[in-house]
Amino acid sequence: MPDTSIVILVGGEAGQGLVTVGQLMAKALVRAGYEVVVCQDYQSRIRGGHNTFAIRTGVDPVYRPSEKVDILVALDAETVALHRRQLTPGGIVLADEAFDLGASAAGLNCLRIPAKKLAPKAAHQNVLFLGVLGSALCKDIGLLEELLRQTFAKKGAEIIDQNLAVLRVAYDWTAAQQYSFACMPPAPESPVRQLMLTGNEAIALGALAAGCNFCSFYPMTPGSSVALTLAAKAKTMGTVVEQAEDEIAAANMAVGAACAGGRCIVPTSGGGFALMVEAVSLAGMLETPVVFVVAMRPGPATGLPTRTEQGDLNLVLYAGHGEFPRAVFTPGSVEQCFSLAHRAFEMAETHQSPVFLLTDQYLADSFQNVAPFDLSALPELPAPLLEPEDPASYKRFALTEDGVSPRAIPGFSTALVVSDSDEHTEDGKLTEDLGVRVQMVAKRLGKGAGLAEDALAPDYTGPEGADVDVLLVCWGSTLGAALEARERLEEAGRSAAVLHFAQVWPLNEDQFLPLLEKARRAVCVEGNATGQLARLIRQETGFRFKDLVLRFDGLPITAATILRGLESIL
Amino acid sequence: MVSAEEYGQFDTAWCPGCGNHGLLACMKQALAGLDLSPHQVLMVTGIGQAAKAPLYMNCNMITGLHGRGLPTATGAKLANPELTVIAESGDGCNYGEGGNHFLAAIRRNVDLTLIAHDNGIYGLTKGQASPTTARGQVTKAQPFGQPSEPFNPMAVAVAMGAGFVARGFTGEPEHLVGLIQQAVRHKGFSLVDVFQPCVSFNKVNTFAWYKQRCRKIGPEHDPRNREQALALAFEFGEQIPIGVLYENDRPAFGADLPTLARGPLARRQLDTAALQDVLASYL
């Protein structure tokens, strides 16, 4: 399918309201029935610098950001200089006529806006640009008006009216101008109304759908927005959200809350997660369900705090001293952020183990359109055990066939629930009986078999039963880029397929090894410098990837990244 | 009426003569006296010889990580406000490894009690200086004498306006039982720092050393007077005051939180209608 999507890039300094323009436009497009995927690129500062909000949109599914730009909304002059080379031949620049664009504007298709004249107040600049953009895209002004009314609802009628007036002036002015820009094809008639969410918002909502009622966290970009979303909805949902004094406290609070009957989530990023590692081991030892969300950004140490990477797979796979089972989910889209957050809780509760959701800055901040979730289709989670059958003989770590013991919650019956981080007997008390130690190791690791049985098979997209020329193997947010690259390869006459791991641990080789062996070339595509999934697969199955496409400059992998990488391989 | 016997009798891994024995007996007596049954109590500990205490009584228990008893206890109490949650651990755990959590617990003021065994030494790791070891005291790890000033938990707690600040001594068991009971009854974070000699590794702060110095705070002290309390907190010489140094009525954490008013998390059901509303807000 040829690419008919267009990319709108809003650029400017932090604090200029570019996210407001971008977010409102993206929402208007979703409401109009278009597909949307957003890529936010920002610097680690509150004001100034250069940030962008890029919306890729179209009638057909758009999987991933693209490096091209069709409409460049320049909130400052620097945006034009920095992004003019990305403009497509029919592309256009929307910029204030007051900006001195100098030589960078030469030869550009440029609509200069008399911003000061149309809207004298600086506070109205973002709505002004929204009006210009909406008109240039030939979108119905009614949609934008409705959005503004909702956005400014709390600010009162006067503010709403002022903004609506600016919107109308900008929209009408633009409609009267002579400029060339090809409008988008119309959206399908009466579209199903879609949600617009970021990856982190979807994780928070998936957690809520799983009955998550406790979140402890310490702020760290790009993980924080999971907690902020839960906090924003806490009044409605009753979720206890506590900002801890540090990450160590956040993780230990979650273990304590889970032992006492909470359903707990702990969002963070790599550096914060590194501090939580001892508590991960505690959750393993106490067989406590806790879901950790690790939103990756480039390390080591502080790295590039606001950029993206897939560098912490190894960290999450091996976090925690000692041996205990775990599961690691790696959503590939906003939709999967929701469904896998729910799945993470289901696995954590079912197998009484720590479970991880590994995402990254790109996906965490990426708005996408998603069809409404069917809550009734979600599986039910095990309910907390409040009253064990025979409280007097209750043993928290009773040996069972699958290693999972009835997990009573203290205080709801006369059963005493004892959990010791030391090696412990079935009744939870410290022991140095080495025979019991061996039994307990086997019990804990035995739960790993259940987690492996429940492991999601990687998703295969491509010709069935055929030996493909290229099999693109990927995990997490790289999915969209791989799917798009596959389409481009197919158009170029190559048979191509994608194998996406939405769960990277435990691995069940029967689910994917035959596909790897059958492909003429299996290429592992990862947002890191060392090919961490490729190594994991080799370690687990012996399969060795000869070719890797890696990106680690802090920006998300796009289809173009993959196609460029393949040039030297194929 | 609950009897101390319901809390059971167990063999311990402590040295004969350790102050922990006395503190354990006081704890059982205090809880029984409050008419709390073992299943109504959740003891949360860090790691250390002191942190083993709940192992030797019938109760719900989480033994967590060294230094992390307080955040673990905080999580448990927020998950179930109906439980009586007591954090118990040593001076190293609470004032050293978990120092930041100690400060945060005072600020947060969650309704839980911290029983801090304070013997001025690391016992389980065999005799290194703890945060409350006196400056200059020689240990195997500090052969030239402990070079740092000791931590003063009483002064810090009073200065930060903790809701209930007390100090006890295992050599005054009845007095200590009373302090524990007042602390548990207090709505909000309460601290009882307990002197309990380490017979194996601290040859300075012996039973006799404490016995000679500990002086019960008399009725002339007004525990609601912060300046007086602070003055008492700094008395640490020939005489050391024991008893309630400071008390106030700060509202406990969560009194104004709508999310905690809905009862224990384990009893909560997913409100699907509310979730549908939340989802609709993203349309």
Side-chain angles (χ1 to χ4, degrees):
Chain A
M1 179 184 341
D3 178 16
T4 58
S5 69
I6 70 155
V7 176
I8 304 154
L9 188 137
V10 188
E13 290 181 16
Q16 279 193 315
L18 65 103
V19 173
T20 311
V21 179
Q23 207 175 324
L24 289 171
M25 197 64 238
K27 192 137 194 168
L29 288 163
V30 170
R31 287 189 179 178
Y34 291 97
E35 302 276 334
V36 157
V37 61
V38 167
C39 182
Q40 296 196 58
D41 180 36
Y42 51 100
Q43 295 179 330
S44 184
R45 54 197 287 175
I46 311 297
R47 292 267 172 174
H50 178 70
N51 295 356
T52 63
F53 187 102
I55 308 166
R56 188 174 184 191
T57 181
V59 175
D60 302 316
V62 284
Y63 305 119
R64 192 74 181 182
S66 153
E67 282 140 28
K68 66 165 191 170
V69 174
D70 298 286
I71 304 184
L72 184 59
V73 183
L75 300 188
D76 63 2
E78 191 191 10
T79 298
V80 180
L82 287 172
H83 297 283
R84 54 167 300 172
R85 263 182 236 105
Q86 289 164 258
L87 274 171
T88 51
I92 187 169
V93 178
L94 310 178
D96 189 339
E97 65 178 11
F99 296 158
D100 178 9
L101 299 181
S104 69
L108 290 182
N109 176 19
C110 206
L111 179 62
R112 303 300 298 265
I113 305 150
K116 197 99 201 173
K117 211 175 93 207
L118 296 176
K121 275 195 186 171
H124 291 146
Q125 291 299 299
N126 43 22
V127 170
L128 171 85
F129 274 95
L130 183 68
V132 174
L133 184 57
S135 173
L137 288 168
C138 323
K139 292 304 143 243
D140 175 13
I141 191 170
L143 263 179
L144 297 172
E145 286 172 338
E146 188 194 343
L147 262 175
L148 284 189
R149 278 192 202 97
Q150 289 168 353
T151 305
F152 296 110
K154 284 187 187 147
K155 299 200 171 174
E158 197 182 332
I159 300 283
I160 293 175
D161 289 344
Q162 284 174 9
N163 279 284
L164 286 176
V166 171
L167 181 80
R168 170 61 71 182
V169 164
Y171 191 92
D172 290 346
W173 176 85
T174 310
Q177 303 307 303
Q178 295 289 323
Y179 63 95
S180 85
F181 182 74
C183 280
M184 294 166 71
E189 291 281 317
S190 64
V192 183
R193 193 132 184 216
Q194 303 244 325
L195 308 171
M196 188 175 90
L197 298 170
T198 64
N200 274 1
E201 285 172 337
I203 286 174
L205 297 176
L208 289 174
C212 170
N213 48 31
F214 188 93
C215 170
S216 44
F217 77 108
Y218 186 86
M220 184 167 182
T221 304
S224 310
S225 49
V226 173
L228 300 184
T229 304
L230 291 169
K233 308 298 177 189
K235 202 171 171 188
T236 313
M237 298 304 296
T239 319
V240 176
V241 181
E242 178 61 5
Q243 180 177 324
E245 56 272 26
D246 55 35
E247 280 92 348
I248 296 173
N252 283 282
M253 263 184 208
V255 173
C259 285
R263 196 161 279 171
C264 306
I265 194 165
V266 184
T268 185
S269 183
F273 182 65
L275 289 170
M276 298 179 176
V277 163
E278 192 187 16
V280 171
S281 179
L282 178 66
M285 189 56 150
L286 302 188
E287 306 193 32
T288 307
V290 176
V291 172
F292 292 90
V293 180
V294 181
M296 294 176 283
R297 66 191 218 186
T302 312
L304 293 167
T306 59
R307 295 318 198 312
T308 200
E309 192 162 278
Q310 293 184 303
D312 294 332
L313 173 57
N314 288 338
L315 172 67
V316 165
L317 273 177
Y318 303 113
H321 54 294
E323 297 172 298
F324 55 92
R326 73 189 70 205
V328 184
F329 292 97
T330 48
S333 63
V334 168
E335 192 177 10
Q336 285 187 358
C337 284
F338 180 89
S339 61
L340 295 182
H342 188 278
R343 178 81 176 168
F345 277 95
E346 187 193 356
M347 291 299 101
E349 292 284 342
T350 305
H351 302 286
Q352 298 182 13
S353 297
V355 171
F356 303 87
L357 272 166
L358 192 52
T359 179
D360 56 42
Q361 179 269 329
Y362 155 65
L363 185 56
D365 293 332
S366 175
F367 287 99
Q368 293 175 18
N369 60 293
V370 193
F373 305 110
D374 179 3
L375 298 181
S376 64
L378 295 169
E380 252 189 67
L381 273 65
L385 176 59
L386 300 186
E387 289 171 25
E389 267 175 35
D390 178 9
S393 66
Y394 175 74
K395 290 177 174 153
R396 168 65 189 93
F397 301 99
L399 294 172
T400 61
E401 210 164 295
D402 59 2
V404 177
S405 320
R407 190 173 80 87
I409 307 300
F412 294 94
S413 74
T414 53
L416 298 182
V417 185
V418 176
S419 302
D420 198 322
S421 66
D422 292 270
E423 190 55 275
H424 41 253
T425 50
E426 285 182 90
D427 63 4
K429 293 205 167 184
L430 177 153
T431 183
E432 296 200 29
D433 179 327
L434 305 185
V436 172
R437 156 71 181 175
V438 172
Q439 284 180 320
M440 284 295 162
V441 170
K443 169 197 186 334
R444 287 189 291 269
L445 295 183
K447 296 185 299 178
L451 281 166
E453 226 164 83
D454 286 342
L456 299 174
D459 285 319
Y460 178 83
T461 308
E464 287 301 328
D467 304 348
V468 287
D469 290 338
V470 191
L471 177 64
L472 298 171
V473 178
C474 61
W475 58 282
S477 74
T478 317
L479 171 65
L483 290 174
E484 190 180 340
R486 186 189 93 78
E487 288 184 5
R488 299 288 90 80
L489 288 166
E490 291 269 333
E491 282 160 21
R494 289 191 181 269
S495 66
V498 171
L499 188 65
H500 175 255
F501 286 80
Q503 182 172 1
V504 292
W505 192 262
L507 287 177
N508 179 350
E509 68 174 47
D510 298 342
Q511 293 171 333
F512 62 88
L513 190 55
L515 291 166
L516 295 181
E517 286 171 339
K518 212 165 60 171
R520 289 197 190 89
R521 261 183 199 279
V523 179
C524 202
V525 180
E526 302 190 50
N528 57 50
T530 54
Q532 297 184 17
L533 178 69
R535 287 187 184 194
L536 177 65
I537 289 175
R538 186 176 183 195
Q539 173 190 306
E540 292 301 308
T541 69
F543 181 87
R544 182 163 181 257
F545 285 91
K546 290 187 193 67
D547 302 300
L548 304 174
V549 172
L550 306 174
R551 182 168 192 175
F552 45 90
D553 61 357
L555 296 175
I557 288 183
T558 62
T561 316
I562 298 173
L563 296 172
R564 276 196 300 270
L566 290 177
E567 278 170 17
S568 58
I569 294 169
L570 299 179
Chain B
M1 199 63 195
V2 177
S3 76
E5 281 68 47
E6 288 180 47
Y7 282 89
Q9 286 289 341
F10 298 83
D11 289 336
T12 76
W14 293 325
C15 307
C18 174
N20 287 342
H21 296 286
L23 181 40
L24 175 63
C26 289
M27 183 65 85
K28 293 177 189 172
Q29 210 184 318
L31 294 174
L34 289 167
D35 211 20
L36 286 165
S37 292
H39 74 274
Q40 296 172 300
V41 177
L42 173 66
M43 304 289 297
V44 184
T45 77
I47 293 296
Q49 287 295 69
K52 288 178 181 166
L55 275 174
Y56 310 131
M57 58 187 244
N58 290 322
C59 59
N60 295 295
M61 186 192 91
I62 304 170
T63 294
L65 299 170
H66 184 59
R68 315 305 168 199
L70 278 173
T72 312
T74 300
K77 182 69 184 184
L78 296 184
N80 186 356
E82 293 170 10
L83 270 177
T84 296
V85 177
I86 299 173
E88 184 171 12
S89 237
D91 40 286
C93 207
N94 292 305
Y95 308 142
E97 185 88 30
N100 194 24
H101 311 313
F102 178 68
L103 302 183
I106 295 171
R107 289 180 50 219
R108 199 176 270 124
N109 204 29
V110 171
D111 183 16
L112 55 89
T113 297
L114 171 61
I115 307 293
H117 297 223
D118 187 354
N119 58 9
I121 204 78
Y122 282 169
L124 187 57
T125 53
K126 300 192 192 291
Q128 302 82 7
S130 90
T132 53
T133 303
R135 181 148 191 246
Q137 189 170 325
V138 172
T139 78
K140 273 188 288 188
Q142 287 80 24
F144 311 113
Q146 148 74 349
S148 303
E149 285 297 326
F151 182 72
N152 183 337
M154 298 290 99
V156 169
V158 173
M160 291 183 69
F164 182 91
V165 184
R167 174 167 261 162
F169 170 41
T170 51
E172 296 284 355
E174 271 175 47
H175 180 247
L176 179 55
V177 167
L179 293 178
I180 296 172
Q181 290 181 332
Q182 287 181 71
V184 172
R185 267 196 228 107
H186 175 81
K187 290 280 166 222
F189 178 74
S190 50
L191 166 67
V192 186
D193 181 90
V194 184
F195 290 144
Q196 40 85 235
C198 174
V199 292
S200 295
F201 297 110
N202 192 337
K203 305 300 184 191
V204 177
N205 309 113
T206 60
F207 186 87
W209 189 94
Y210 287 118
K211 189 79 188 170
Q212 203 181 349
R213 286 166 176 77
C214 286
R215 172 184 61 82
K216 283 184 205 155
I217 296 168
E220 71 284 357
H221 173 61
D222 174 11
R224 296 193 169 256
N225 183 324
R226 196 146 147 190
E227 281 174 20
Q228 274 185 27
L230 205 54
L232 282 184
F234 283 107
E235 277 183 40
F236 198 94
E238 292 311 306
Q239 289 203 326
I240 306 172
I242 60 171
V244 181
L245 280 82
Y246 183 62
E247 204 176 353
N248 65 34
D249 294 326
R250 277 171 69 194
F253 181 95
D256 48 358
L257 277 183
T259 53
L260 286 179
R262 302 190 190 185
L265 300 183
R267 285 204 200 280
R268 305 256 187 110
Q269 302 286 328
L270 174 63
D271 184 345
T272 310
L275 181 58
Q276 292 288 13
D277 284 348
V278 167
L279 289 171
S281 69
Y282 292 92
L283 281 170

